């Protein structure tokens, strides 16, 4: 069944004194746009998080919010970034020389500067990655569950509307079959009134009827409209993202409906066309939120 692009999913994981929380919110969007907000300490995992989400969600504006707390006492390796430390020292010495101040630079002070020291534990990094992605996947599944539930409700509403359109199409088909007969009667009456007692040229009358029938016939448009409605309903049962396909079909249905309205010189058919266009507009608004 179809999925909505609007949804929310959340998951938590507590493992070995590490706490993870992932929240995912999604709204409609023409394409897939994933934004991740996470602690700086986890920034190296941003692309992995986006990949995990995009493997399950194909369309929508997705916002991922991650919080993380690590109270683990596992052994960690302290690494000194010597190159950055040297740059700091050289720049500080240069500043001291220019300003004629003492350049008594303490190692402990250099160690406090940004990016000079880093705490690393390769094994723990791998564990954190695995645990975080597990939490992301669970939050994504919860998001999909909500999107599917809402999509099911949307599908029910869309099916009701397409059934209403089908009824209008059949009414138009029925009304259009009597248009030519009505035209023949009216045309003969007008000719008799003009010619008075003169005989009617049956060949010319038949020619006029053929021309009129060709101009006002909506049989082809009705047939294509039926086909589009059938395609639309079949797509509602697809497991693949179909939002863009549905939007295209609605455009085609609108075009056929407009053609019927312009060709059929009949008030009853015009009223049916207006009703169909109203339903199509309601459907179009709905499918803007279909994945």
């Amino acid at each position: 069944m179809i999925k909505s692009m609007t949804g929310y999913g959340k998951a938590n994981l507590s493992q070995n004194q590490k706490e993870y929380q992932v929240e995912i919110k999604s709204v409609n969007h023409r394409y897939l746009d994933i934004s991740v907000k996470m602690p700086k300490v986890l920034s190296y995992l941003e692309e992995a998080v986006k990949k995990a989400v995009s493997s399950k969600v194909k369309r929508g504006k997705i916002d991922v919010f991650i919080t993380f707390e690590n109270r683990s006492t596992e052994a960690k390796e302290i690494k000194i970034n010597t190159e950055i430390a040297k740059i700091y020292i050289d720049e500080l010495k240069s500043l001291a020389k220019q300003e004629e101040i003492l350049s008594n630079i303490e190692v402990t002070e250099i160690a406090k500067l940004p990016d000079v020291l880093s705490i690393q534990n390769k094994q723990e990094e791998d564990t954190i990655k695995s645990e975080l992605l597990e939490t992301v996947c669970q939050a994504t599944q919860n998001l999909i569950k909500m999107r599917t539930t809402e999509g099911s409700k949307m599908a029910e509403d869309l099916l009701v509307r397409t059934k209403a359109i089908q009824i209008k199409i059949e009414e138009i088909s029925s009304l259009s079959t009597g248009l030519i007969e009505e035209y023949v009667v009216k045309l003969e009456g007008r000719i008799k009134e003009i010619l008075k007692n003169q005989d009617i040229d049956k060949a010319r009358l038949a020619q006029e009827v053929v021309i009129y029938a060709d101009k006002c016939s909506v049989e082809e448009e009705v047939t294509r409209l039926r086909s589009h409605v059938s395609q639309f309903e079949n797509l509602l049962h697809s497991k693949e993202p179909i939002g863009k396909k549905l939007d295209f079909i609605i455009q085609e249905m609108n075009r056929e409906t407009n053609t019927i309205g312009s060709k059929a010189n009949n008030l009853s058919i015009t009223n049916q066309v207006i009703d169909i266009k109203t339903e199509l507009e309601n459907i179009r608004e709905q499918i803007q939120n279909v994945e």
Side-chain angles (χ1 to χ4, degrees):
M1 193 59 72
I2 66 173
K3 296 184 184 71
S4 166
M5 279 192 282
T6 302
Y8 173 80
K10 180 179 179 180
N12 296 282
L13 178 65
S14 179
Q15 194 79 19
N16 297 325
Q17 293 186 307
K18 296 188 290 293
E19 302 288 339
Y20 305 84
Q21 179 174 285
V22 177
E23 293 181 87
I24 306 180
K25 299 178 181 179
S26 71
V27 294
N28 61 318
H29 195 274
R30 289 189 66 186
Y31 308 102
L32 178 63
D33 181 12
I34 302 175
S35 174
V36 181
K37 293 184 179 180
M38 62 199 311
K40 187 176 180 181
V41 69
L42 297 178
S43 59
Y44 69 100
L45 293 173
E46 181 174 345
E47 288 305 314
V49 169
K50 287 184 176 181
K51 186 176 180 180
V53 175
S54 63
S55 67
K56 303 293 183 181
V57 179
K58 302 304 179 184
R59 191 172 172 221
K61 174 70 175 70
I62 314 295
D63 290 308
V64 183
F65 304 93
I66 298 173
T67 58
F68 173 65
E69 183 178 354
N70 187 359
R71 300 188 302 274
S72 173
T73 56
E74 294 179 15
K76 294 179 174 63
E77 175 186 350
I78 297 178
K79 183 177 180 181
I80 301 175
N81 193 324
T82 307
E83 295 301 320
I84 290 181
K86 287 181 178 179
I87 293 173
Y88 278 128
I89 292 170
D90 291 342
E91 291 298 322
L92 289 171
K93 285 183 176 179
S94 176
L95 177 63
K97 185 176 181 181
Q98 292 175 16
E99 301 298 330
E100 297 182 352
I101 58 178
L102 294 175
S103 59
N104 184 22
I105 304 172
E106 297 288 342
V107 173
T108 53
E109 295 301 317
I110 296 296
K112 295 177 183 178
L113 295 173
D115 300 321
V116 173
L117 294 182
S118 61
I119 301 175
Q120 294 183 339
N121 183 328
K122 179 61 177 174
Q123 183 177 357
E124 186 181 53
E125 285 183 0
D126 291 341
T127 301
I128 289 174
K129 178 179 179 180
S130 175
E131 292 171 349
L132 175 61
L133 293 183
E134 177 186 342
T135 315
V136 168
C137 287
Q138 184 59 56
T140 305
Q141 289 297 331
N142 292 336
L143 170 74
I144 293 172
K145 183 178 180 180
M146 184 174 180
R147 284 163 60 118
T148 302
T149 299
E150 185 173 331
S152 178
K153 295 178 182 177
M154 291 171 61
E156 291 176 4
D157 180 74
L158 292 173
L159 284 172
V160 169
R161 296 186 184 280
T162 55
K163 294 302 180 186
I165 289 174
Q166 286 177 324
I167 292 173
K168 300 297 179 183
I169 293 172
E170 297 312 315
E171 290 177 358
I172 289 174
S173 178
S174 177
L175 289 167
S176 66
T177 57
L179 289 179
I180 297 176
E181 288 78 1
E182 291 178 11
Y183 178 74
V184 172
V185 173
K186 290 179 181 179
L187 186 60
E188 283 185 335
R190 290 179 61 187
I191 292 174
K192 285 179 181 180
E193 184 179 342
I194 294 171
L195 298 179
K196 302 302 181 183
N197 296 324
Q198 297 181 39
D199 293 333
I200 299 175
D201 186 343
K202 296 295 183 180
R204 181 60 186 277
L205 178 61
Q207 184 180 4
E208 289 294 329
V209 171
V210 170
I211 293 172
Y212 176 80
D214 184 58
K215 287 183 177 180
C216 75
S217 175
V218 295
E219 183 178 347
E220 290 184 10
E221 288 77 11
V222 166
T223 299
R224 286 194 290 268
L225 201 47
R226 287 191 186 113
S227 175
H228 293 328
V229 172
S230 178
Q231 286 180 303
F232 188 96
E233 290 182 340
N234 289 336
L235 279 173
L236 292 180
H237 301 286
S238 173
K239 295 182 180 180
E240 301 298 323
I242 56 166
K244 293 181 180 179
K245 291 182 180 179
L246 293 179
D247 190 48
F248 174 76
I249 292 176
I250 286 298
Q251 292 180 40
E252 293 301 302
M253 291 171 70
N254 249 318
R255 184 164 63 178
E256 300 297 346
T257 304
N258 286 334
T259 303
I260 291 173
S262 63
K263 291 177 71 173
N265 186 22
N266 180 277
L267 181 59
S268 295
I269 291 180
T270 299
N271 289 334
Q272 302 302 325
V273 165
I274 291 172
D275 289 343
I276 290 176
K277 288 179 66 64
T278 300
E279 287 292 359
L280 288 176
E281 180 59 25
N282 290 331
I283 291 173
R284 190 193 66 81
E285 291 179 2
Q286 285 265 49
I287 62 176
Q288 298 309 307
N289 198 36
V290 174
E291 183 181 31

